[in-house]
Amino acid sequence: MENFTVFNPTQVFFGKNVINNLGKIVQQSGRNVLLIYGKGSVKKNGIYNDIINQLNQCGAKVTEYAGIRPNPITKDVNKAALLGRQNNIDVIIAAGGGSVIDSAKVVSVCICEPLDAWDVMKAKVKPRTSVPVIAVLTIAATGTEMNPYSVLQNPATKEKIGFGCSLMYPKYSFLDPQYTFSVPADYTAYGITDLIAHSLEAYFSFGKADLSDRFAESIIKEAMEIAPFVLKEPENYAYRSRMMWAATCALNGTASYGRSASGDWGVHDIGHTLSFLYDMPHGATLSIAYPAWLKLQKERIPERIRHLGKQIFGVNSADETIQKFEDFFRSIHSPVKLSDAGIGTDKKEEIVSLMNKNKATGFNHKLTNEDHQKIVELMY
Ligand code: NZQ
Ligand code: ZN
């Protein structure tokens, strides 16, 4: 096992109606609130009203920044940070999924100094202060609610990248599975794919950590077991709660302690290229990229892939393991090939060249330009 430090300061409120604690938590943090949300789902499903009721009860002054888009961009983060600065914000509430919460985390470190969001993402500057972030999670997928990472894209440089620092953990996260009842079937499936992918990234990071292997395997099994049920009964509390907690645990450290990194993240880098080029939902990029990556790696790490397949599916080879993952992703209608997502073979060169330019790779399993070419072929 590699050495590791455990540090996770996020206080999580999990369960039915936990939002009723929001007012008193905000009161402890200050009076001026910046409320950040996305394109409007929170208004349709009542989550916005629940938050505003709590804020009214505690006498908070609310400034809103709406319109964060899926696959969020740094321009919105800079605009929201300016708004926060102008209004002397004490605390940020992020109501949404990974896109909203990731944006809010970077807003939180850019407000005071002030800093430019892309400089933070590229680690050109080191944040020294942050405004506390309260996350109200509305979709189970990324695990951002209990980790210090943010993933943003910059159209000017043609990059979608991740960054994390300890100042960026949400201070509080509210996880009410009922808030995910309204997530449509496609995004529910992408959330399942994403949480499985996070467990796999941890699993394929270097270092021997048997308990982390078992956590990762269990999270994958949990997700695969509940997937057909949650898709059939989207308003079933038991299924939504199991999915929500699995997603949080897939990327809050549980599955990677004792390894050389939080994950390999090579497949995510490939997925970010697809999100950037075709604005594909994050999870959908991963059900395409993971099988292709595994096919590339099966000559290099056959025993590791076989072991995973044995534990999860009871199969005995790397090929069967990969086939089982593809079958599962297909069964939940998460795309497995680029053509499933409507991306034709005429885009091959475009994808390879952006992967080359941005040096898409993992922390452990390094990918060369030749590998990029092979992976893109394998995604068709
Ligand atoms: O914009 P709104 O109206 O809120 O609609 C969203 C959006 O269209 C909708 N939605 C969310 N909750 C809903 C809902 N619709 C109905 N009912 C609800 N309760 O779902 C759509 C997708 O939302 P988004 O926030 O983009 O989804 P997700 O949570 O999957 O986040 C994806 C982003 O997170 C990044 C991804 O790269 C991507 O940019 N990631 C962040 C990570 C992290 N911080 O740790 C790790 C991940 O690997 C990932 O890279
Ligand atoms: Zn992910």
Side-chain angles (χ1 to χ4, degrees):
M1 227 194 268
E2 304 290 322
N3 290 3
F4 61 95
T5 304
V6 176
F7 174 75
N8 197 316
T10 304
Q11 185 171 340
V12 175
F13 294 83
F14 188 100
K16 276 185 190 162
N17 308 322
V18 286
I19 202 73
N20 293 335
N21 298 294
L22 179 67
K24 75 170 186 268
I25 290 296
V26 169
Q27 252 171 351
Q28 291 166 15
S29 310
R31 192 172 166 271
N32 283 343
V33 176
L34 177 62
L35 173 60
I36 303 182
Y37 53 96
K39 296 279 185 189
S41 66
V42 288
K43 290 209 165 161
K44 287 192 204 121
N45 56 26
I47 297 170
Y48 174 87
N49 280 346
D50 288 354
I51 293 171
I52 293 293
N53 283 342
Q54 285 288 313
L55 295 178
N56 287 343
Q57 276 171 34
C58 72
K61 177 176 172 287
V62 186
T63 304
E64 295 189 16
Y65 189 92
I68 299 291
R69 42 164 281 184
N71 295 323
I73 50 175
T74 44
K75 195 169 133 197
D76 274 315
V77 172
N78 284 329
K79 280 162 79 178
L82 177 63
L83 191 67
R85 209 173 301 128
Q86 287 166 341
N87 288 278
N88 294 318
I89 287 306
D90 302 311
V91 57
I92 299 170
I93 298 181
S99 297
V100 169
I101 298 170
D102 285 9
S103 299
K105 286 175 173 180
V106 182
V107 171
S108 81
V109 295
C110 288
I111 285 188
C112 299
E113 293 204 53
L115 299 177
D116 172 74
W118 194 241
D119 285 347
V120 171
M121 295 305 290
K122 295 292 276 185
K124 284 188 188 158
V125 290
K126 194 170 183 289
R128 286 174 304 184
T129 57
S130 69
V131 173
V133 171
I134 300 176
V136 178
L137 187 67
T138 67
I139 178 170
T142 62
T144 187
E145 62 276 9
M146 204 179 169
N147 74 40
Y149 311 119
S150 173
V151 182
L152 297 177
Q153 63 184 46
N154 182 350
T157 63
K158 294 193 162 191
E159 286 170 277
K160 181 176 187 190
I161 58 169
F163 172 78
C165 72
S166 57
L167 287 171
M168 281 169 35
Y169 281 96
K171 187 159 185 201
Y172 305 96
S173 279
F174 290 82
L175 276 58
D176 186 337
Q178 298 173 116
Y179 280 3
T180 63
F181 285 178
S182 56
V183 176
D186 53 356
Y187 273 102
T188 300
Y190 304 149
I192 290 164
T193 303
D194 194 21
L195 82 90
I196 290 173
H198 296 161
S199 307
L200 292 174
E201 295 283 14
Y203 195 88
F204 287 111
S205 177
F206 289 171
K208 188 162 162 48
D210 297 310
L211 184 58
S212 288
D213 275 6
R214 292 194 164 110
F215 279 131
E217 291 156 7
S218 298
I219 293 167
I220 295 171
K221 282 187 188 171
E222 174 79 350
M224 289 187 167
E225 185 177 304
I226 54 174
F229 298 106
V230 77
L231 286 166
K232 204 166 156 211
E233 289 182 53
E235 301 200 4
N236 180 306
Y237 182 82
Y239 302 143
R240 285 293 190 185
S241 53
R242 286 174 66 184
M243 180 176 167
M244 193 173 230
W245 190 233
T248 304
C249 290
L251 195 47
N252 69 354
T254 305
S256 57
Y257 293 129
R259 296 208 188 286
S260 60
S262 68
D264 180 62
W265 302 112
V267 176
H268 270 67
D269 236 16
I270 299 162
H272 294 336
T273 306
L274 300 177
S275 282
F276 181 86
L277 284 171
Y278 311 114
D279 206 18
M280 279 175 71
H282 175 61
T285 68
L286 301 171
S287 50
I288 297 171
Y290 241 114
W293 185 89
L294 287 168
K295 284 173 192 169
L296 178 83
Q297 301 297 349
K298 74 178 181 181
E299 310 300 332
R300 302 172 185 174
I301 47 168
E303 183 46 34
R304 187 79 178 134
I305 300 174
R306 189 202 67 79
H307 178 76
L308 174 71
K310 178 88 186 154
Q311 299 306 111
I312 293 178
F313 305 112
V315 297
N316 278 311
S317 71
D319 280 323
E320 288 171 290
T321 306
I322 299 166
Q323 186 62 51
K324 287 282 185 191
F325 274 111
E326 285 192 342
D327 292 347
F328 172 76
F329 292 140
R330 273 206 189 88
S331 76
I332 60 169
H333 305 293
S334 201
V336 172
K337 297 284 177 188
L338 283 168
S339 50
D340 299 339
I343 297 162
T345 47
D346 56 317
K347 303 292 185 199
K348 264 185 203 172
E349 279 320 303
E350 181 175 63
I351 302 170
V352 173
S353 99
L354 192 59
M355 281 167 69
N356 290 173
K357 174 191 154 300
N358 289 343
K359 301 185 173 47
T361 191
F363 287 119
N364 295 143
H365 299 277
K366 299 291 178 196
L367 300 173
T368 62
N369 285 358
E370 208 185 13
D371 291 337
H372 293 161
Q373 185 81 44
K374 286 184 190 157
I375 284 176
V376 172
E377 294 293 341
L378 289 164
M379 291 196 289
Y380 280 100

